[in-house]
Amino acid sequence: MEEMNNQNRNNRAWILLCASLLAASGCGSSTAETTASTAVATAAAETTQATTAETGTYTDLDLLDLDGWWVRPEGYVSIGISLLDYFYVDSDTGTWTGYDDYGQENGMGGDVWIEDGCLVLTGALGDEETAIPILDEYTLVDDNGAPYFEWTDDPGFTGDVTESGITGQWFANGDTSSDTYYVLHGDFSSEKCVMGSITNDTYHVTDMTGSAPSFNGVSIGPENYNPMQITFDNDVFSSLTLIANGKAFLSDDQYFIHEGSENDPDVRSECVLMLRTWKMTDESGYYMDFYPNYGVALYDSSASEIAPGTWSVSGGVIRIQWENGTEDELSLEIGDENSTLHYDTEGGDFTNSEW
């Protein structure tokens, strides 16, 4: 069946190519060119007719043609639905489900259908319907025509974030020369080094699914994101929130980055963003908080006005998708004592006093 589906996809791709050649040949054509174009069109029509019973034509795609896994192209800089990198279309139920890098459902999902040449998702951006243009049964594109999601039979998940998945060395603030670090072992034992003194302990990992933050009754970010919390038996002050897709965790006043990711600037930026509250530099009284479930809140000094949204970091660019459908881009300047969030779109800067 899979081989037949792939053959059907190839047939439809060939038909699309013929249609493109036909359209290109129609401008200022001679009689001979017209005759040749007619021959191409006839051949394409005969091929289409021969395969219609099994596959339908390219212009008659239905949800079954788009059934399966859809992933971001490698190197794509996220715009729009910033938290959606993997999703699965189930044509039998007419629904879609979002997944994280580890193959875990990320709490996003809803109904899905095709309308006006677009794949329409509900539940991707709050209560709104999100329409993604369809190029063909292999490719969805963004508003600029760039590949946005690609069909695949293997999404290539990196594996679950579990106790065994977080073993190894974790460096304070990503500094490999730091004298503060953790080493977590697969048998749940751990070592913590502070100022050259190493203490042994036992750690536990708790799934925090469903623990989305709220601000004065306003839910912030996806509710079903899967953060995990690390706790230690003897070190009562260490309760660490695992973030950045398992590459880092936060303590009360530090962040720790896993070996192999310590030089990743995006991971460091995520940690700095979440460690402190950000205040707008023009003294207008607005603040912004970033949460481990990739929710963000903008609020005034009285917290009477709250604008929730979601955020992501990719290629050094911070993108915020607000619930009202607008989007902002910011850049982070990390300093020794102060760090600043610069608005790349219209707006003021934010700063924090320490991190």
Side-chain angles (χ1 to χ4, degrees), residues 49-70:
Q49 184 176 8
T51 59
T52 295
E54 293 180 1
T55 66
T57 66
Y58 168 73
T59 56
D60 192 29
L61 286 176
D62 58 28
L63 201 58
L64 179 61
D65 297 306
L66 305 182
D67 189 278
W69 290 103
W70 292 89

Side-chain angles (χ1 to χ4, degrees), residues 128-303:
E128 298 180 5
E129 296 175 358
T130 302
I132 308 175
I134 302 169
L135 179 64
D136 54 41
E137 62 265 53
Y138 292 106
T139 313
L140 307 177
V141 297
D142 62 20
D143 292 340
N144 297 318
Y148 194 20
F149 291 96
E150 295 176 341
W151 183 91
T152 181
D153 57 0
D154 180 11
F157 295 127
T158 58
D160 291 343
V161 180
T162 62
E163 290 85 349
S164 61
I166 63 172
T167 58
Q169 192 161 355
W170 300 79
F171 300 103
N173 299 334
D175 181 3
T176 57
S177 64
S178 171
D179 53 15
T180 301
Y181 60 84
Y182 283 90
V183 180
L184 305 183
H185 301 285
D187 61 358
F188 306 110
S189 64
S190 69
E191 299 169 275
K192 181 180 180 181
C193 177
V194 180
M195 297 293 290
S197 174
I198 297 179
T199 58
N200 297 315
D201 207 343
T202 301
Y203 72 93
H204 307 274
V205 179
T206 304
D207 185 354
M208 301 297 290
T209 301
S211 60
S214 62
F215 199 115
N216 286 6
V218 177
S219 295
I220 308 297
E223 294 184 0
N224 292 328
Y225 176 72
N226 297 308
M228 307 185 87
Q229 191 174 63
I230 308 169
T231 54
F232 299 85
D233 284 344
N234 299 322
D235 191 346
V236 296
F237 298 104
S238 291
S239 181
L240 311 170
T241 302
L242 192 65
I243 60 168
N245 290 327
K247 298 177 181 178
F249 56 69
L250 298 178
S251 67
D252 291 337
D253 57 0
Q254 286 180 300
Y255 59 87
F256 293 81
I257 297 180
H258 192 266
E259 56 183 324
S261 299
E262 66 272 14
N263 294 319
D264 188 330
D266 286 349
V267 173
R268 188 184 185 204
S269 294
E270 290 193 27
C271 295
V272 172
L273 287 173
M274 285 184 277
L275 204 55
R276 289 290 182 267
T277 293
W278 297 84
K279 182 179 181 180
M280 187 169 276
T281 56
D282 64 2
E283 303 299 327
S284 60
Y286 279 93
Y287 299 83
M288 190 154 48
D289 281 329
F290 295 83
Y291 298 95
N293 69 334
Y294 295 100
V296 61
L298 175 68
Y299 52 93
D300 62 14
S301 57
S302 65

Side-chain angles (χ1 to χ4, degrees), residues 14 22 35-49:
W14 186 90
L22 177 60
T35 301
S37 299
T38 302
V40 172
T42 301
E46 289 174 351
T47 303
T48 300
Q49 184 176 8

